[in-house]
């Protein structure tokens, strides 16, 4: 392998981060997306808008707020202290927390679309056949929305891998803890190690292409199936 | 026919504009790339310089010295380059990107600084205290201030013990932010930043003896693209003026040809 040990460490860390964030967001984002898809509550608009904010906001805004909020004097910092964890900047779980906020729309929006496209009919049928709402959700809605789940998971994973600005602002660049691949590339460039930057950057390009290829190649089939 | 006339008019306008731009009788503009540690001192110097040339424009871009070093080689439109490490402008000169020899403008100092506790009574040994969880330094891999911080810690034999506590800022200003927000209890920060009113008087600072590290020799050049730019030359000259030197000293820089204040 042509990558150095610290490069491999950065890649492994990135994969860990993206996997944990994807799993957490599947658990967190699914009920939120379901609620957004089904509700007629007036809060739907505001909640949807807040969750979509990371799509629009520059990472520097998120990074700045998170650095202050998660610090010892910030509200999140107080909360984590109460729970016995201490301040979260410069920690792996701090990055997880930030990434969950940052990648939220990439999980929620595809899921919400998938749930909405199911419509009321299949669920009404399930209900008349005696299925409880929870039962109907798992046996009817989830299988029908499966393509949505896949799209959402791939997008969330890929988006977390591509994270840079927020990590740079709250990570503290710790090898094996917060130095993810994107930051490692930046450091290589800053240190004028273009050769190493090229290698790691090439890995990232190849990976991103692969992810998008899977996503696009697989999409038309699901449409035919639907 | 009408179109051709329009084209001619536009062409004429272009010519006039170009002519106006090069004519020294009209307002000139320079862009300076400066190391992050110069952020506050440079702001004051530029403000003072602007009073002598009110019609001209001086813009400053701050960042890590290594970053600007790369950008200039890629054709970034910087007319002057102020680096925190003399080696960067020296190398630009060797590669043909400089119009002047590197000129030493200051020697930087590093300090221990805290926003939450009294740093004036600290020393490097204080970093071993249990209640100090994180110590922020600039990334030694590419930031001059980070390199000197590492040298000072190694010279005092503390590196192995302090390293697990270290967090790394991308440049010296970001390192200061880590400390200012309280996320790192202490940081090794440029004296020039600590003396700025926004940071001064928080927890105070302790000057790290310069015998513990290589000198932070800071130098600037006029870039090749600004070879004939009179405003750039005037600014370079202004750095030697009494006013500019007074500002630099106020921000804790040791100037070439002078000894340290303390």
């Amino acid at each position: 392998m042509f990558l150095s040990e610290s490069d491999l460490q950065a890649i492994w860390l990135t994969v860990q981060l993206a996997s944990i964030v994807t799993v957490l967001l599947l658990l967190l984002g699914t009920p939120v997306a379901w609620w957004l898809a089904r509700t007629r509550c007036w809060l739907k608009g505001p909640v949807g808008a807040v969750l979509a904010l990371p799509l629009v906001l520059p990472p520097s805004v998120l990074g700045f707020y998170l650095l202050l909020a998660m610090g010892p004097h910030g509200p999140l910092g107080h909360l984590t202290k109460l729970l016995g964890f201490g301040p979260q900047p410069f920690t792996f779980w701090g990055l997880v927390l930030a990434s969950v906020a940052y990648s939220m729309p990439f999980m929620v929006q595809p899921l919400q679309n998938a749930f909405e496209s199911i419509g009321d009919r299949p669920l009404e049928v399930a209900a008349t056949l005696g299925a409880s709402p929870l039962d109907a959700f798992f046996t009817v809605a989830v299988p029908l929305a499966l393509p949505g789940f896949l799209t959402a998971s791939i997008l969330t994973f890929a988006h977390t891998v591509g994270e840079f600005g927020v990590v740079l602002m709250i990570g503290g660049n710790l090898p094996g803890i917060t130095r993810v691949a994107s930051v490692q590339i930046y450091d290589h460039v800053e240190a004028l190690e273009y050769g190493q930057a090229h290698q790691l950057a090439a890995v990232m390009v190849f990976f991103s292409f692969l992810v998008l290829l899977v996503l696009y190649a697989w999409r038309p089939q699901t449409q035919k199936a639907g | 026919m009408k179109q051709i006339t329009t084209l001619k008019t536009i062409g004429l306008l272009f010519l006039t504009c170009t002519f106006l731009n090069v004519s020294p009788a009209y307002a000139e503009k320079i862009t300076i790339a400066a190391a992050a540690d110069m952020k506050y001192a440079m702001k004051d110097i530029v403000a003072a310089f602007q009073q002598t040339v009110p019609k001209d424009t001086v813009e400053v871009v701050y960042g890590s010295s290594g970053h600007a070093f790369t950008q200039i080689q890629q054709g970034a439109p910087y007319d002057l380059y102020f680096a925190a490490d003399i080696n960067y402008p020296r190398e630009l000169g060797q590669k043909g990107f400089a119009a002047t020899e590197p000129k030493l403008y200051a020697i930087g100092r590093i300090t221990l600084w805290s926003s939450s506790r009294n740093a004036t009574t600290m020393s490097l040994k204080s970093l071993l205290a249990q209640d100090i969880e994180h110590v922020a330094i600039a990334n030694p891999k590419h930031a001059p201030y980070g390199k000197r911080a590492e040298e000072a810690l190694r010279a005092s034999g503390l590196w192995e013990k302090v390293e697990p506590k270290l967090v790394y800022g991308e440049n010296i200003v970001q390192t200061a932010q880590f400390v200012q927000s309280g996320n790192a209890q202490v940081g090794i920060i440029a004296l020039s930043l600590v003396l700025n009113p926004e940071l001064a008087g928080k927890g105070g600072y302790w000057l790290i003896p310069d015998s513990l590290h290589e000198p932070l020799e800071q130098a600037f050049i006029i870039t090749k693209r600004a070879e004939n730019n009179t405003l750039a030359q005037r600014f370079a000259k202004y750095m030697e003026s009494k006013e500019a030197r007074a500002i630099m000293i106020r921000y804790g820089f040791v100037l070439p040809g002078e000894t340290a204040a303390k």
Side-chain angles (χ1 to χ4, degrees):
Chain A
M1 196 67 184
F2 52 90
L3 291 166
S4 72
E5 204 173 305
S6 64
D7 287 349
L8 289 172
Q9 188 186 38
I11 291 176
W12 173 229
L13 183 72
T14 310
V15 170
Q16 279 178 302
L17 177 70
S19 308
I20 292 174
V21 168
T22 308
V23 170
L24 280 179
L25 272 176
L26 268 174
L27 297 175
L28 260 170
T30 306
V32 174
W34 180 252
W35 179 78
L36 281 172
R38 314 285 309 167
T39 187
R40 289 196 181 85
C41 173
W42 65 274
L43 275 170
K44 178 180 173 164
V47 170
V50 167
L51 292 179
L53 271 178
L55 281 179
V56 186
L57 285 178
S60 48
V61 173
L62 273 181
F64 170 63
Y65 281 144
L66 285 169
L67 183 69
L68 295 187
M70 300 200 322
H73 314 303
L76 279 174
H78 282 300
L79 187 72
T80 50
K81 203 172 180 181
L82 272 177
L83 297 171
F85 293 115
Q88 294 300 304
F90 318 134
T91 64
F92 179 73
W93 290 102
L95 278 200
V96 170
L97 198 70
S99 307
V100 163
Y102 181 62
S103 292
M104 181 73 87
F106 291 82
M107 180 61 80
V108 169
Q109 295 197 344
L111 280 184
Q112 186 185 343
N113 286 338
F115 289 147
E116 276 170 355
S117 67
I118 295 174
D120 292 336
R121 181 96 184 117
L123 294 164
E124 283 166 9
V125 172
T128 50
L129 290 174
S132 72
L134 203 65
D135 199 8
F137 174 75
F138 281 109
T139 55
V140 177
V142 170
L144 281 174
L146 208 58
F149 275 99
L150 266 167
T151 310
S153 302
I154 292 176
L155 279 179
T156 303
F157 188 91
H159 188 246
T160 310
V161 168
E163 201 176 351
F164 172 68
V166 176
V167 182
L168 196 72
M169 288 182 76
I170 66 162
N173 207 339
L174 301 173
I177 300 172
T178 58
R179 189 182 291 165
V180 295
S182 58
V183 173
Q184 176 83 351
I185 293 174
Y186 181 76
D187 274 350
H188 281 320
V189 175
E190 289 285 284
L192 312 172
E193 299 163 349
Y194 291 170
Q196 279 156 283
H198 269 308
Q199 289 166 356
L200 197 51
V203 171
M204 295 291 276
V205 170
F206 180 71
F207 165 79
S208 310
F209 172 72
L210 214 66
V211 166
L212 293 175
L213 187 69
V214 168
L215 203 62
Y216 281 96
W218 160 87
R219 220 177 215 170
Q221 289 172 5
T222 61
Q223 271 167 7
K224 264 178 250 157
Chain B
M1 196 50 209
K2 203 177 176 190
Q3 267 182 338
I4 294 172
T5 338
T6 326
L7 275 178
K8 268 188 187 161
T9 323
I10 293 172
L12 215 84
L13 266 172
F14 259 117
L15 274 178
T16 325
C17 289
T18 325
F19 174 72
L20 287 182
N21 255 340
V22 293
S23 161
Y26 288 82
E28 284 183 282
K29 189 192 146 186
I30 51 169
T31 306
I32 299 169
D37 69 314
M38 284 286 282
K39 194 158 189 126
Y40 302 112
M42 187 59 96
K43 200 173 136 200
D44 288 2
I45 291 174
V46 167
F49 176 69
Q50 286 265 237
Q51 289 183 344
T52 68
V53 284
K55 275 186 190 152
D56 300 327
T57 316
V58 180
E59 273 176 7
V60 192
V61 178
Y62 301 98
S64 81
S65 300
H67 206 131
F69 172 81
T70 311
Q71 288 177 326
I72 288 169
Q73 291 179 67
Q74 304 302 325
Y78 301 141
D79 302 301
L80 288 127
Y81 170 46
F82 283 75
D85 184 338
I86 192 167
N87 286 319
Y88 287 119
R90 205 173 267 158
E91 202 175 324
L92 280 183
Q94 283 157 6
K95 291 183 171 176
F97 290 99
T100 58
E101 286 291 309
K103 176 141 179 77
L104 194 70
Y105 65 86
I107 293 162
R109 292 295 302 270
I110 48 176
T111 65
L112 276 186
W113 179 65
S114 173
S115 68
S116 51
R117 33 197 100 191
N118 184 5
T120 54
T121 55
M122 284 186 181
S123 71
L124 285 178
K125 273 217 177 83
S126 320
L127 300 179
L128 299 176
Q130 280 226 316
D131 59 334
I132 291 182
E133 248 183 291
H134 293 298
V135 177
I137 71 172
N139 196 333
K141 209 169 149 189
H142 56 73
Y145 277 94
K147 280 179 200 156
R148 300 300 172 254
E150 181 178 341
E151 284 167 9
L153 287 171
R154 282 192 190 281
S156 359
L158 296 168
W159 177 256
E160 274 76 25
K161 286 191 184 128
V162 176
E163 199 191 357
K165 298 181 173 188
L166 291 180
V167 293
Y168 303 101
E170 280 314 309
N171 57 51
I172 198 64
V173 170
Q174 201 204 1
T175 311
Q177 284 159 9
F178 283 161
V179 183
Q180 192 179 22
S181 60
N183 286 304
Q185 290 78 30
V186 190
I188 299 185
I189 312 293
L191 179 61
S192 59
L193 296 180
V194 169
L195 289 178
N196 158 3
E198 267 179 53
L199 303 188
K202 285 255 171 133
Y205 66 89
W206 179 73
L207 197 65
I208 296 173
D210 56 3
S211 54
L212 291 177
H213 59 83
E214 294 287 311
L216 273 154
E217 288 182 311
Q218 320 209 334
F220 76 88
I221 49 162
I222 295 177
T223 60
K224 196 81 190 168
R225 76 186 286 274
E227 206 165 7
N228 302 314
N229 188 324
T230 49
L231 187 62
Q233 281 153 13
R234 234 178 294 162
F235 190 85
K237 192 119 199 226
Y238 188 78
M239 284 304 293
E240 290 171 38
S241 71
K242 219 168 41 182
E243 292 85 357
R245 288 174 75 94
I247 293 169
M248 292 294 285
I249 288 169
R250 202 165 73 225
Y251 281 100
F253 288 106
V254 180
L255 298 189
E258 282 176 30
T259 45
K262 53 179 163 170

